[in-house]
């Protein structure tokens, strides 16, 4: 007798990594000024802000960089409007999860004039190990199901003939994220520092890793 079963297992893990995505922008009518001031923003952030936070500047990685001429078409007057030049750099920093560091980061960013926009996501450094662990659990679940079916048919489960491995359907980062809080700066200043509020209240959601397997078993 052939028995086909499905095994699905999930397991939650505490995040131990924070990924900070940053976007720096600067706009000016002159190309040279736009480029110079944009680069100054990056330099100040890397050598001053990161230094205050005790973050190694080598952790700062650039994803893309551009200076482009911006225009906008005025349909009412049927003409192109010159908006000047825009400097834009996207970068990221990956660090061990530390709520105090996150809180201090938010506070330091709030002090920067024309500071970067940012979003934090939370991940698991040992993701591959977690996948293997969940995979083993899914296989055990299939074996248990196949045994129950075999016993119900008054048979003995013999062996597994085939396993169909499908890609993970998983959440590999925590669903929690932390966006910039520029509009909240006034409220933070009245109540307490941003770092104090975040360190007391922010708890990222656990990371859930899921695995589904299909298998064919022989029962005799």
């Amino acid at each position: 007798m052939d028995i086909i079963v499905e095994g699905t297992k999930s397991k939650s893990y505490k995040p131990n990594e924070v990924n900070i995505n940053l976007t720096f922008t600067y706009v000016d009518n002159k190309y040279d000024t736009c480029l110079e001031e944009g680069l100054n923003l990056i330099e100040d952030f890397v050598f001053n802000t990161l230094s205050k936070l005790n973050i190694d500047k080598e952790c700062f990685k650039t994803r893309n960089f551009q200076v482009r001429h911006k225009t906008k078409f005025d349909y009412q007057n049927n003409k192109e409007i010159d908006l000047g030049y825009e400097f834009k750099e996207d970068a990221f920093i990956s660090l061990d999860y530390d709520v105090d560091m996150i809180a201090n980061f938010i506070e330091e960013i709030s002090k920067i004039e024309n500071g970067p926009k940012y979003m934090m996501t939370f991940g698991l450094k040992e993701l591959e190990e977690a996948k293997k662990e969940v995979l083993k659990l899914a296989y055990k679940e299939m074996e248990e199901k196949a045994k129950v079916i075999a016993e119900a048919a008054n048979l003995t489960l013999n062996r597994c003939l085939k396993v169909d491995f499908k890609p993970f359907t998983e959440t590999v980062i925590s669903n929690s994220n932390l966006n910039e809080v520029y509009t909240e700066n006034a409220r933070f200043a009245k109540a307490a520092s941003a770092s104090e509020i975040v360190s007391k209240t922010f708890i990222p959601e656990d990371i859930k890793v899921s695995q589904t397997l299909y298998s064919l078993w022989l029962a005799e």
Side-chain angles (χ1 to χ4, degrees):
M1 175 182 173
D2 291 342
I3 301 173
I4 299 175
V5 292
E6 173 189 345
T8 299
K9 275 295 181 180
S10 299
K11 188 172 180 179
S12 295
Y13 299 84
K14 295 291 182 185
N16 58 12
E17 181 181 58
V18 57
N19 299 294
I20 308 172
N21 296 287
L22 302 143
T23 301
F24 299 82
T25 57
Y26 189 85
V27 177
D28 196 90
N29 290 328
K30 296 181 179 180
Y31 174 87
D32 291 344
T33 302
C34 180
L35 176 60
E36 181 179 357
E37 293 300 323
L39 292 174
N40 285 339
L41 288 177
I42 305 299
E43 184 178 23
D44 181 68
F45 181 83
V46 171
F47 291 98
N48 293 325
T49 302
L50 293 186
S51 178
K52 291 177 183 177
L53 294 167
N54 294 318
I55 297 175
D56 191 332
K57 62 183 177 65
E58 297 299 323
C59 294
F60 182 89
K61 306 295 182 182
T62 299
R63 278 205 173 98
N64 58 70
F65 161 86
Q66 64 176 337
V67 178
R68 61 178 182 137
H69 184 221
K70 296 187 68 178
T71 60
K72 178 182 177 181
F73 191 77
D74 184 348
Y75 289 96
Q76 186 173 354
N77 298 306
N78 195 34
K79 67 176 183 178
E80 200 85 21
I81 300 175
D82 191 334
L83 300 177
Y85 293 91
E86 180 188 57
F87 171 98
K88 183 177 180 182
E89 177 168 324
D90 294 317
F92 71 95
I93 303 171
S94 293
L95 302 166
D96 291 343
Y97 176 80
D98 182 333
V99 69
D100 291 330
M101 182 281 297
I102 292 170
N104 291 333
F105 179 90
I106 292 170
E107 185 154 14
E108 287 300 323
I109 289 289
S110 71
K111 298 175 183 176
I112 303 174
E113 185 178 353
N114 196 21
K117 295 181 179 179
Y118 65 87
M119 185 176 77
M120 297 182 185
T121 57
F122 303 90
L124 184 67
K125 290 187 290 185
E126 303 83 4
L127 180 59
E128 291 305 316
E129 288 76 8
K131 289 179 179 180
K132 292 176 183 178
E133 182 178 11
V134 176
L135 180 63
K136 292 177 182 178
L137 295 175
Y139 184 88
K140 288 181 179 179
E141 182 181 80
M142 290 190 304
E143 186 175 19
E144 290 172 1
K145 286 182 178 180
K147 284 181 180 178
V148 171
I149 295 172
E151 290 172 0
N154 293 318
L155 297 172
T156 300
L157 192 66
N158 190 306
R159 65 184 185 279
C160 180
L161 299 176
K162 182 180 179 182
V163 176
D164 181 13
F165 176 79
K166 292 194 172 183
F168 280 89
T169 302
E170 64 187 350
T171 302
V172 299
I173 61 172
S174 169
N175 287 327
S176 302
N177 61 69
L178 194 55
N179 288 289
E180 56 184 329
V181 288
Y182 291 123
T183 57
E184 297 295 317
N185 285 343
R187 181 175 67 80
F188 279 140
K190 292 178 181 178
S193 69
S195 61
E196 187 177 346
I197 292 173
V198 172
S199 62
K200 289 181 178 178
T201 62
F202 190 74
I203 303 173
E205 183 180 355
D206 285 354
I207 295 164
K208 186 177 181 182
V209 178
S210 297
Q211 172 65 60
T212 298
L213 288 175
Y214 298 87
S215 59
L216 172 64
W217 299 76
L218 174 65
E220 298 176 331

